[in-house]
Amino acid sequence: MALNKPEYTLFKNTRYALNGLLEVTKNEKSFRLQIILFVVGMVVAWSLPLGFIYKAVLSVSLFIPMIAEVINSAIERTVDLVTFDHHELAKRAKDAGAALVFLSLAMLAFIWGLTLYAAFCL
C-alpha cells in the first residue's frame, strides 16, 4: 500500500503549514478566540513596565494554547474522518484533545501569574 506522502521541500512544507493555519482559522471558532487571546496578551505583555526577559516569557507562553488548539483540531478531524457515529473511543479522543486545550490555558495562567509575581513582588 503506497503512502499518501508528497515530496517535501522547505517551500512546500511552509505552504502546507500555512494552509493548515488558514484552514483552522477559518473553521475553528476556538482557534479564532485563541488568536484574540494572543493579540490581547501580546499588547498587555509589551505594555507592562517589565524587563525584556519577563516580556519574552509572557509572549512565548501565549503560543501554548494556540499550539494545543491546532493539535485538538487535528484530533477532531481525524476522528471525524473515521466516524461521525457516536463511539466511546471517538469521544475519549475528542475529550483528550479538549483536556489538552484546558491544560494549556491553565499553564498559561500559571506562567503569567508566576512571571508577574516575580516581576512585581520579589
Side-chain angles (χ1 to χ4, degrees), residues 48-96:
L48 291 171
L50 299 172
F52 176 79
I53 297 299
Y54 291 116
K55 290 179 181 186
V57 168
L58 295 177
S59 298
V60 169
S61 70
L62 292 168
F63 283 96
I64 297 169
M66 292 177 64
I67 293 167
E69 192 63 53
V70 170
I71 294 169
N72 182 44
S73 296
I75 292 168
E76 289 179 352
R77 282 158 180 70
T78 302
V79 168
D80 290 344
L81 176 67
V82 174
T83 183
F84 281 114
D85 297 332
H86 176 77
H87 191 282
E88 185 59 29
L89 290 177
K91 180 187 180 319
R92 289 183 193 176
K94 287 186 172 192
D95 288 350

Side-chain angles (χ1 to χ4, degrees), residues 34 61 64-65 68-69 95-111:
Q34 297 292 353
S61 70
I64 297 169
E69 192 63 53
D95 288 350
L100 172 67
V101 173
F102 175 79
L103 289 172
S104 75
L105 290 167
M107 181 184 288
L108 176 68
F110 178 75
I111 291 169

